[in-house]
Each structure stands twice: as structure tokens, then as C-alpha cells.
Amino acid sequence: MSVANLIACSRMYNVTPAARACWDDLFIWLSGQAGVELKIISHPAPAPLSELWARPDMGAVFMCGYPLSLLAEKERPTVLAAPVAHASWAGGRPCYASHIVVSKDGPVRTAADLPTAIWGWTVRDSQSGYNAPRDFLSGFLPERAPALRTVGPLLNPSGVVAALRDGRIEVGAMDAYAYELLSMHEPDAVVGLRIVATTRSLPCPTLVSSRTAPADMVSTLRQALLRAHESEDGRAALRPLAIERFDNPDVANYRVLAEAAEAVDQRLAAW
């Protein structure tokens, strides 16, 4: 089976050129293993991710769990699989968290300083860069909290790092898996940064296909991902991405992301 014109894209986790190359290697492996031709694209920032997720030709594209949780079943793309990271915050499940990050020589020393700090955020439809830090911070605020000082949109983890380095913000949230990839592939990018806290772990971004993608292709792509850790060449593709394996997540579990966002909206004004 070989069908052209399906795309693969790891835009959410193309945090460095080296990481992007590793994702490309995984997609090339996936294409060969499944017998499905995939065209690898970058869809670079500042192009909105929402435009990528609306494409009818998705074969294997990373999608944030929060916008996925907002879609009705008839509008939702088909979930292929979700990565299980090696890191401890994943807990051996397809979950992730956000690191609350500051500059080592900045004014924020402990979590107690967070309510008065200048926060940076990525985009409002992001779980890791917007909803997760707001949920985390709301636990430190009184019921009638003063207005917070915030800067955004910063688009992605690289934007958060840049804003911390030039002093525009004092604290920001970074997808813990993105931070892991940066630490592996471009450690200089996180030099001078310090993690002051980590949010709770929740369902992580998934690889999705378009609803209109042929069912047989979707099935072979999914099975190849779920079995990647069983072969040496599959493990070789996963290893530089710090992935233990792929799992088949229950889409119903993603509802917790929408519920958490709704709850924090009741307690904390929009950034």
C-alpha cells in the first residue's frame, strides 16, 4: 500500500534543527514500516497551528490535547497514538506537564514569588504554555487576586526562553517534553534557566490523522507506532526523541483539559 499526499508534521516539537531531524527520521521510518507515503512538512511559526490541524491531508501530525478536547466527535481528527516519554513526570503514561521556568539570576527565587512576577505565555489555545501555568498559579492566589502582569503571545517555548533572556518576563511555562528535547539537542538553550516548579501531569499531545484519511492507512500507521519499541530500528528512532514507546490513548481522558481550563477561567482573568 502506498498513497501519496498525506503529510507528517512535528511542528509542536521542532524545538531545534537537530530535534526536527530526529522527528523526520521517525516519520521516514514510520512511512516505510506502514507502507504509507508521508510528505514531511514544517509549518513553521508564526503560521497558526490551528491552520495545520484543519488540513484534510494529515497523516501523522502532532496536535495539542486542549483544542482536541474542545472538538465534538464528528469534528475531531483521528487519534493515531501518543508518546510515552522516559521522563519521570510522564509516569510511564502518555502524559506531560509544564515546567515553571525562571532566569537563574532573575528576581523570582521560590514559588512564593510567582504571584507578583511578570508571566509570559505562548498562545491561548495551548495547554502547556497557557492553561497549565494559569491552573498552577491560581493555587497561589487569593480569591480576589490583583491583576497579573503578563506578556504574550510568545508563540512557543523558544519565545518564552527569549523573553526570559531579554528580561521582558520573569517567569514562563515550558512544555516539559519540549524542555527535555532542548536539553538533549541544544543544551545551551536552557543554560541560565531554572525550573522552580512543575505542574501536574495531564494527557499529552497526540499524533493525529484527518478524519477523511483512508481507514486502512490510519490503521497501519497506528500499529507501526504502537509497535515501534518492539524492534531495534524502531527503538533507534525513538531513542533520540526520549520516547519509551507510543500508546493508544483514550480520547475521553482529554476532556479533563477542557474542564480544567473552564475551572481556571472562573478563578483567574484571561491573560
Side-chain angles (χ1 to χ4, degrees), residues 40-58:
I40 302 171
I41 68 168
S42 60
H43 194 79
L49 280 166
S50 56
E51 292 182 358
L52 174 65
W53 300 330
R55 289 183 60 147
D57 57 350
M58 291 188 297

Side-chain angles (χ1 to χ4, degrees), residues 63-165:
M63 183 174 187
C64 178
Y66 173 62
L68 181 72
S69 73
L70 298 177
L71 293 174
E73 183 177 357
K74 64 180 181 180
E75 301 170 329
R76 191 185 302 146
T78 302
V79 172
L80 287 180
V84 177
H86 282 291
S88 60
W89 37 257
R93 298 172 297 149
C95 293
Y96 75 150
S98 292
H99 290 320
I100 308 302
V101 182
V102 301
S103 173
K104 285 183 177 178
D105 56 2
V108 176
R109 309 311 302 168
T110 69
D113 299 322
L114 296 177
T116 58
I118 302 172
W119 282 73
W121 52 275
T122 55
V123 290
R124 289 191 176 93
D125 61 354
S126 168
Q127 171 62 25
S128 61
Y130 183 76
N131 287 323
R134 292 175 73 241
D135 178 58
F136 175 84
L137 180 59
S138 68
F140 290 83
L141 298 174
E143 185 174 343
R144 295 183 179 276
L148 296 166
R149 295 177 295 167
T150 65
V151 176
L154 299 172
L155 298 182
N156 52 37
S158 297
V160 171
V161 171
L164 282 168
R165 294 204 187 285

Side-chain angles (χ1 to χ4, degrees), residues 17-35:
R20 161 76 195 275
C22 291
W23 285 115
D24 288 357
D25 288 343
L26 176 64
F27 289 142
I28 291 168
W29 175 88
L30 175 62
S31 177
Q33 193 73 13

